[in-house]
Amino acid sequence: MAVVKKTRGERELDLAHGDKREASGEELAQRRRQQRVEALKLIAGIWADRADIPRDGLEYQRMLRSE
């Protein structure tokens, strides 16, 4: 019988979510997706109200590169 070891990240996710059992691959993938979504929601629109930078991303890149 082969023994499959969990990665450090998988063990940390289990501990962070208070799981007493081991997470399946699909559960782990779903948790990681959820963590990414939560992180992205925190930063979405972070520059929305700034008036000192162009609203167009390409124009902003050109401005940065010209400096």
Side-chain angles (χ1 to χ4, degrees), residues 43-59:
I43 63 168
I46 198 166
W47 289 1
D49 298 328
R50 289 190 56 181
D52 60 326
I53 59 173
R55 301 214 33 100
D56 179 30
L58 182 57
E59 185 180 337

Side-chain angles (χ1 to χ4, degrees), residues 4-21:
V4 179
K5 290 188 176 183
K6 296 180 92 172
T7 66
R8 179 177 168 201
E10 290 168 332
R11 289 190 304 270
E12 288 172 355
L13 277 174
D14 286 346
L15 292 174
H17 290 279
D19 288 347
K20 302 291 183 208
R21 60 181 175 75

Side-chain angles (χ1 to χ4, degrees), residues 21-32:
R21 60 181 175 75
E22 294 184 3
S24 72
E26 182 60 34
E27 289 172 325
L28 181 61
Q30 184 61 33
R31 286 182 192 167
R32 287 181 176 164

